[in-house]
Every structure is written in C-alpha cells, then in structure tokens.
Amino acid sequence: DGNWILPRLNNRIYPDKPPVFFWLIAISYAIFGEVSSLSARFPSALAGVLSVLMTYLMGNTLKRPRAGFISALVLATTIEFFWLARRANIDMTLTLFITAALFFFYKGYRDTLPRLYYFLYLFMGLATLTKGPVGFILPLLTIILYLLARKEGNGVKKVILHPGIMLFFALIFAWL
C-alpha cells in the first residue's frame, strides 16, 4: 500500500516483526512485476545463496579456500537450510545478516582493521530490523565469548565502544 514503515501481512498491520524482510519481499514484487510465489520466495533464496558465500569467505579467512569450500558445501546441502532458503522465511535473511556481521568482526579483528567493525554494526542493525533483538544479541554474545575465551577483555571494550555502534543505533531508531 506504499507504507514502508508498518509491515503488513495479508493486508493487515503486522507489528510482530520488524520491516526488513517485508521490504525485501516488496522490492522483489517490484522487480518481478507481480505478486507470486517466486517473487515472495526470492529474498529467502538470495539470502541463502549469499549465506553460503559468506560461509565460504569465513572458512577461507579462518583456514584456507578448501576449508571455505567444504564449509559452504556442507551448509548448502543441509536439508533444513535448503528447505528454509526455498520458503518465504525471515530466518534465512537473519542468518545472512548475522553471518555477515560475524565475518566482518573476525576480519577486522584478525587483520587489525577496526574500520570493518562499521560493517559489523551495519549487519547487526539489519539483523535486528529483520527479527528483533536476536539480531544483535546473538552476534554480540558470540563476539564477547570469543574475545573472553582468548583472554582479550580489552578487545570487548574496543568492539562495544567502537563508533560503528552509532550506525547500529541510527538504523534502529530511524525505523522506530
């Protein structure tokens, strides 16, 4: 109906979930020119493909290209992952954004490139605008536990106090 602020499900306002997934479906409808099963499922399928790519990049960054390829192959051939990627499902988009957030955290941490933390916060913001608080709680807890396991409590401060957190809040509050 042209209202991009309040998500709708079956022509009724749907306040249960934030809007990003609904925006992606609306954009898909515009691209395909019609409301159809294909245009509704396309964002999930694309998020699934991009999640597999992010998994490859993460494996490649952590170990080597072969590890990335095997990790991506395992993910792509997992029955539930494949099933969810074929449905119009919020969880696949959430998976993509959380995977991307963790990738950019690790890449920034490993290569001592704190500017990559802006992408961490961008993707955490998008994940939060996709499914709510789980979008920032899951990656943030993962990062904190990782840094504490490495006995780098100072690293926790660097991540949490990074200026990118303002990008996260700007995304959230812009919609709210």
Side-chain angles (χ1 to χ4, degrees):
D1 69 350
N3 181 347
W4 287 79
I5 303 300
L6 295 173
R8 293 184 173 273
L9 182 64
N10 295 327
N11 266 344
R12 291 196 178 130
I13 291 177
Y14 186 68
D16 299 353
K17 298 289 180 208
V20 166
F21 186 69
F22 297 92
W23 292 345
L24 293 174
I25 289 178
I27 291 167
S28 181
Y29 288 164
I31 289 170
F32 285 97
E34 66 178 345
V35 174
S36 67
S37 179
L38 173 66
S39 59
R41 294 173 186 218
F42 182 73
S44 289
L46 181 60
V49 169
L50 293 175
S51 293
V52 170
L53 176 63
M54 290 304 305
T55 300
Y56 168 77
L57 292 174
M58 182 66 91
N60 190 26
T61 301
L62 285 167
K63 295 288 183 192
R64 57 185 181 272
R66 185 166 189 246
F69 176 76
I70 292 170
S71 300
L73 183 64
V74 168
L75 179 62
T77 57
T78 302
I79 293 170
E80 185 154 1
F81 182 86
F82 185 77
W83 179 68
L84 287 173
R86 295 181 63 230
R87 299 179 64 222
N89 189 293
I90 291 173
D91 294 333
M92 196 52 57
T93 309
L94 176 69
T95 299
L96 170 63
F97 293 146
I98 288 177
T99 304
L102 292 173
F103 170 76
F104 283 106
F105 157 73
Y106 184 75
K107 186 85 169 133
Y109 170 78
R110 188 196 75 177
D111 297 343
T112 58
L113 294 170
R115 68 179 177 265
L116 291 180
Y117 293 167
Y118 286 103
F119 290 105
L120 158 69
Y121 283 107
L122 169 71
F123 286 110
M124 277 196 336
L126 290 172
T128 303
L129 286 175
T130 298
K131 196 153 180 173
V134 71
F136 72 86
I137 291 171
L138 217 62
L140 208 51
L141 275 177
T142 302
I143 291 166
I144 290 169
L145 290 174
Y146 174 78
L147 291 171
L148 291 176
R150 295 187 55 90
K151 297 181 177 26
E152 295 193 32
N154 205 20
V156 173
K157 287 181 196 172
K158 285 181 184 177
V159 171
I160 292 175
L161 297 177
H162 188 274
I165 200 163
M166 298 309 291
L167 176 61
F168 170 80
F169 284 121
L171 282 169
I172 303 305
F173 290 128
W175 176 67
L176 290 176

